[in-house]
Amino acid sequence: MKLDPAEISGRTNARIVKTAVAPRPIAWISTVSPDGTENLAPFSSYNYIDSSDPVVVFNTSLRENGEYKDTARNALCTEEFAINIVTEEYLERVDQTGQNLPPEENEFELSAIPRAPCRRIRPPRVAEAPVTMECTLFDHLEIHDRIMILGEVEYYHISDDITTDGVIDATKVAPIGRLGGPFYTRTEPLDFQRENY
């Protein structure tokens, strides 16, 4: 199969990319609106800028009818957001918070998600997330019908359950990721010691 992106639908392009670029990590992003309404939503278009110091992470969000979704709007207005890492036991509630709800709805309340205060930013964090990164807005970039939000990491919350000898342990984090279509995947480390990459 050989395809020219210009000759196929946007839906087909998206399906190819989302299946090829996988697994995709999921950011469960918590924000607060300027009027104080809490928001929590999942994004699987999330990653970090390699080797940046301080660390910069990013996610992208769709604009619908020219309007930003709650997460992007809140991050731009308040310049703060928290990225919570998603694990399998929260998958159903992560899916619930992906609904397109009115801005005045609070996903923490609707999905019964325990929250805890952040240290340096106003939005709450998911209390039981293995890792939360408190972020302040670094920059944003408009790309076609999307907006890329870049955040500088200001503080980490790391559960003791995922550390070994005081260091975060990749074999204990167990985040889930997105595949193409409706599928998710578990992470399971391979017993391979890299030498060159």
Side-chain angles (χ1 to χ4, degrees):
M1 183 185 298
K2 299 183 187 303
L3 299 172
D4 181 339
E7 296 176 356
I8 58 179
S9 71
R11 185 179 179 86
T12 301
N13 271 304
R15 181 66 181 261
I16 293 168
V17 171
K18 289 180 179 181
T19 303
V21 181
R24 302 190 313 276
I26 302 169
W28 209 6
I29 301 181
S30 46
T31 59
V32 173
S33 69
D35 69 5
T37 303
E38 296 171 350
N39 178 265
L40 182 64
F43 293 86
S44 59
S45 52
Y46 143 72
N47 220 301
Y48 71 103
I49 306 298
D50 189 33
S51 300
S52 66
D53 185 15
V55 174
V56 174
V57 293
F58 66 87
N59 74 286
T60 61
S61 177
L62 175 67
R63 274 191 304 174
E64 294 180 331
N65 302 316
E67 298 292 324
Y68 296 128
K69 290 192 166 188
D70 297 342
T71 299
R73 187 176 58 253
N74 292 346
L76 290 173
C77 289
T78 68
E79 300 191 353
E80 296 180 332
F81 58 95
I83 292 181
N84 305 277
I85 302 306
V86 175
T87 52
E88 189 173 352
E89 62 267 30
Y90 272 93
L91 185 54
E92 188 173 322
R93 285 188 272 183
V94 167
D95 185 55
Q96 290 173 352
T97 61
Q99 298 177 66
N100 197 7
L101 299 174
E104 63 273 12
E105 298 283 1
N106 180 333
E107 288 84 356
F108 279 97
E109 299 290 345
L110 291 173
S111 300
I113 298 163
R115 56 185 171 295
C118 282
R119 186 87 171 251
R120 296 186 181 166
I121 63 173
R122 189 175 173 207
R125 60 189 174 92
V126 175
E128 296 170 11
V131 179
T132 297
M133 293 175 275
E134 298 186 18
C135 302
T136 55
L137 185 67
F138 178 79
D139 206 345
H140 71 281
L141 180 64
E142 302 277 353
I143 305 171
H144 301 304
D145 61 347
R146 301 291 195 273
I147 181 170
M148 176 182 283
I149 303 289
L150 297 101
E152 191 165 287
V153 177
E154 303 285 352
Y155 199 83
Y156 296 105
H157 298 266
I158 301 170
S159 169
D160 291 338
D161 293 341
I162 63 163
T163 64
T164 299
D165 298 326
V167 176
I168 192 167
D169 186 336
T171 67
K172 295 180 178 180
V173 181
I176 57 171
R178 279 295 305 273
L179 300 175
F183 302 107
Y184 290 83
T185 186
R186 298 180 178 95
T187 52
E188 189 172 318
L190 296 173
D191 187 13
F192 175 80
Q193 295 294 319
R194 72 180 195 183
E195 294 182 7
N196 301 304
Y197 176 73

